[in-house]
Amino acid sequence: MSASKFSNPVVRWIDHRLPIFSFLEHEANEYPTPKNLNYFWNFGSLAGISLVIMIVTGITLAMSYTAHVDYAFESVERIMRDVNHGWLLRYIHMNGASFFFIVVFIHIFRGLYYGSYKAPRELLWMLGVVILLLMMATAFMGYVLPWGQMSFWGATVITNLFSAIPFVGESIVTWLWGGFSVDNPTLNRFFALHYLMPFLIVGVVILHLVALHRFGSNNPLGIDTRGPQDTLPFHPYYTIKDFFGLSVFLTFLAAAVFFFPNFLGHPDNYIPADPLQTPAHIVPEWYFLPFYAILRAVPDKLGGVLAMFGAIAILFVLPWLDRSPVRSARFRPLFKIFFWILVIDCIVLGYVGAKPAEGMYLLVGRVATVWYFVHFLAILPLLSVIETPRPLPQSISTPVFGGGGGLAGAVAAPKEKL
Amino acid sequence: MAKSQTKSGADASVEHKSRRDFIVVATYAMGAVGAGAFVWPLVDQMNPAADTLALASIEVDVSKIVEGQSITIKWRGKPIFIRHRTASEIEEASGVLQDELRDPEGDDVRAQKPEYLVVLGVCTHLGCVPLGQKVGEVRGEYGGWFCPCHGSHYDSSGRIRKGPAPLNLEVPPYSFLSDQVIRIG
Ligand code: HEM
Ligand code: FES
């Protein structure tokens, strides 16, 4: 390790004792990245920045928030009306949560499309699923904090899911509540955990990145990089691209914060919690709707809960369900079709989750739920056997230089978006 | 080590090894017990605190409830439904055959005095408060309560008849102090 890498003597002095600059130089600056990444590869860094935005606005909100059933609602109203820029912080935090989920959902579907969960990135993928679970728990508890009607009844319904567990269910629910209903002890612990969990997410994100840097990013072709001709240094090529993506993202976030701050929320949450009165139509936050639809599709309490958690658990074993050695959907004609059916299926589930569980909606929800599981448990294993993938390019740069591909490679070249 | 000092060096080391194994295992075991003993308070602090458990019982004068109407009171943070049932509601509730029920229970077991039905107003599915208390609210297909959250129907004895809820509305512990006053809890 040569200290001469850095010209600044202070940096050199520090780096000799604490090689933090070498580390950053190695992981961020020199880090070789496939040169054909498209804009779907922006969503990882966007997710990281969203997490930072949530932590910064969250900690500042916590400075004016009171976690007590008698004061919580009013303290949030005070943040909105009296605390300097409190409305801005809260609206960023509220909409930031939604945008965080949009970004992470796109990030996940990117992985599904390009087969990023396959060897050797299985653990990277599984750590991502852990992050998703932690995010869901964090957002759920955060939504309880303003102590509106949806906060209270959302908390009641979701914690009651655990009562479906045989024998110990009731004790677990009492333990979660710290009482006999969602009440002050519940609000207090949810605040403590809502503060803690984002930092657990930071920890798992670091592991996620360590696993990522082991083999580097996957890419739209889904083939391994074969050397320097296939890669670019992360800085400045991808830092600038990530910054561009970030500015687009922030434009959308600002539009929501300043012009439609309550569009994704529910008006009932501006009514203080009333333990004696359930709102006529309770719905979770939009990012939970597909899972809520799965919960309600099963007519049995325990079955519904198992199906809902199963929908996420199945993602953990995905690398072993899809056995096809070809990663990218670009070279898997059948897989590509089923991928888009799955996307539509998830959107349908989200739509149905927002509707009352009766009649047509219930039926559609059931079909969509069954399809979700069929996709992962039957279609993917089956495709790995029966599908004939299209021929893979020899390397990322082959289509460009036409090497090995002959005329066909040269003709195909302009079509590849590089 | 001390191997060379004894003739049967190999035996001694074997013996030492198993002795050392024992010490290692015993240490781990003690550590595990200690860690467990420390973790339990961390877990158990989340269970209801003493003052939460000590919530007093409440007394209710039911003579004010007009026949056919209900009142809702709060007990342990949860709603309690007390309905003064009409003769036809009582008849309907006690006439149901047990095998028609998902959670079979006779009406006479559920109501100490047939005129007054006392149940927890908490849907046994996921804990919403069912509708049917106020005049004009939907009471579901069985004339009792209807939970709007996921569509559970309860009959006039508070028994589950249709929908995702698995159990009847719970009957809290209560007793009649006199003909008019009930103590709950
Ligand atoms: C993973 C990151 C996070 C997510 C997804 C998240 C999500 C949420 C959500 C959905 C709400 C409800 C907003 C509303 O409807 O009013 C909320 C509220 C809140 N969060 Fe977070 N949060 C995160 C991080 C944090 C952090 C690190 C803190 C620091 C303590 C924090 C403190 C708060 C506070 C005090 C509130 C209540 C004020 C309010 O309702 O706006 N959050 N959070
Ligand atoms: S909570 Fe009553 S039906 Fe689900």
Side-chain angles (χ1 to χ4, degrees), chain B residues 42-125:
Chain B
L42 299 182
V43 172
D44 193 37
Q45 58 84 20
M46 280 176 69
N47 272 318
D51 62 336
T52 313
L53 285 173
L55 272 177
S57 51
I58 47 167
E59 291 178 12
V60 193
D61 183 353
V62 292
S63 65
K64 301 266 161 48
I65 313 171
V66 188
E67 193 177 303
Q69 290 199 358
S70 317
I71 58 166
T72 306
I73 50 173
K74 201 169 159 184
W75 176 68
R76 282 179 155 185
K78 290 178 175 175
I80 297 265
F81 292 168
I82 306 178
R83 182 174 284 184
H84 188 165
R85 298 189 291 185
T86 61
S88 72
E89 281 175 332
I90 299 171
E91 203 184 315
E92 212 177 276
S94 42
V96 180
L97 292 174
Q98 297 287 305
D99 41 342
E100 283 177 50
L101 297 171
R102 181 176 305 169
D103 178 14
E105 221 177 355
D107 187 56
D108 48 334
V109 188
R110 294 177 55 78
Q112 292 180 15
K113 286 193 181 174
E115 304 90 294
Y116 296 107
L117 180 73
V118 183
V119 288
L120 268 179
V122 177
C123 181
T124 58
H125 180 226

Side-chain angles (χ1 to χ4, degrees), chain A residues 314-315 317-324 376-377 380-382 384:
Chain A
I314 214 166
L315 295 176
V317 289
L318 173 61
W320 295 276
L321 292 174
D322 178 1
R323 313 287 318 193
S324 167
F376 286 105
L377 293 176
L380 288 187
L382 195 66
S384 349

Side-chain angles (χ1 to χ4, degrees), chain A residues 313-336:
Chain A
I314 214 166
L315 295 176
F316 277 109
V317 289
L318 173 61
W320 295 276
L321 292 174
D322 178 1
R323 313 287 318 193
S324 167
V326 177
R327 292 198 192 102
S328 174
R330 283 199 188 172
F331 305 104
R332 300 186 60 191
L334 291 176
F335 174 85
K336 198 187 222 168

